[in-house]
Amino acid sequence: MLQNSIHYGMHFLVIIGIAYLYDKRHWRKAYLILLATMLVDADHLLASPIFDPERCSINFHVLHSYWAWSIYTLIAIFSKNYWIRLIAIGLSFHMLTDTVDCWLQNL
C-alpha cells in the first residue's frame, strides 16, 4: 500500500511541482505534457505477462532501459526546445519514479 502511494504520488503529484518550477505561468499545460509522458509505459504491452507486480520495469522494458534513460537525460540537459526538454524531463522523472518503485519492492 505504501509502495503504491509513493509510486503514484510521484507519477501524479510530484510532477505538479516539476511543472510549476518549469513554467510558473503555464504550469497546467506543462503538467499535462508531463502526464502524457506516462505513455512511455506502452512498452509494457510487449512483455508477457503485460503486468507483473514482482517485476522491476527498469532495464526490463525497452523504453525503460538504462540506454533510453541516458538519452532522455541528455536531451533534458542539452535541448534548447521548450517542449522537447519538458518531455525529456518527464521521461527522466518517470524512470526515477520507477526506480524508486523497484527499490521499495526489494525492501
Side-chain angles (χ1 to χ4, degrees), residues 7-94:
H7 183 79
Y8 291 109
M10 288 179 75
H11 272 315
F12 292 99
L13 299 176
V14 173
I15 63 171
I16 293 172
I18 294 171
Y20 186 77
L21 289 171
Y22 190 76
D23 187 343
K24 290 174 182 56
R25 279 189 33 197
H26 301 103
W27 71 268
R28 288 177 187 88
K29 188 182 287 188
Y31 178 67
L32 292 175
I33 297 296
L34 292 172
L35 278 177
T37 63
M38 283 195 264
L39 291 171
V40 73
D41 281 338
D43 66 353
H44 292 238
L45 298 173
L46 301 173
S48 182
I50 291 172
F51 176 74
D52 180 355
E54 302 296 318
R55 179 173 58 217
C56 177
S57 295
I58 298 299
N59 222 34
F60 182 84
H61 302 291
V62 65
L63 297 176
H64 287 70
S65 68
Y66 293 125
W67 285 104
W69 191 357
S70 299
I71 291 168
Y72 306 150
T73 302
L74 288 171
I75 293 170
I77 293 168
F78 295 110
S79 177
K80 302 292 184 210
N81 183 284
Y82 176 94
W83 299 109
I84 292 174
R85 178 180 284 163
L86 181 60
I87 291 167
I89 289 168
L91 291 169
S92 294
F93 187 75
H94 183 100

